[in-house]
Amino acid sequence: MVTIAIHTALGVIGGLLIFAVFFYLSNAQQTSAPLGLVFLGLACGIMAHYLSPWATLVNLGLYALISFKEWWGDRHTPS
């Protein structure tokens, strides 16, 4: 049970840091609360408990790759 709590917190905090980095890089002026990070954290906690603690790192890596792809696409889209 402690594993779920720790990895859920790590997932939410890690996701929030990734979100903050790409929010800063995109030069956006405002945003809404990223509620999906709660689901990311829960997925990290559950997968760390039932599969492997490395699942948290994999989930955060996938979230970072998706965020990078969105940022890259927005940056290189002709206006």
Side-chain angles (χ1 to χ4, degrees):
M1 196 67 167
V2 174
T3 303
I4 294 175
I6 290 171
H7 285 270
T8 299
L10 288 174
V12 170
I13 292 169
L16 188 59
L17 289 173
I18 293 168
F19 175 80
V21 166
F22 286 102
F23 180 76
Y24 175 76
L25 289 176
S26 68
N27 292 324
Q29 299 299 318
Q30 63 187 41
T31 186
S32 59
L35 184 62
L37 295 181
V38 173
F39 296 113
L40 176 67
L42 288 174
C44 288
I46 291 169
M47 290 177 76
H49 181 72
Y50 288 108
L51 294 177
S52 169
W54 290 98
T56 299
L57 186 60
V58 171
N59 284 337
L60 291 175
L62 288 173
Y63 179 61
L65 284 173
I66 291 168
S67 297
F68 177 78
K69 182 186 178 300
E70 288 182 2
W71 171 76
W72 187 264
D74 289 343
R75 185 175 173 194
H76 290 86
T77 302
S79 297

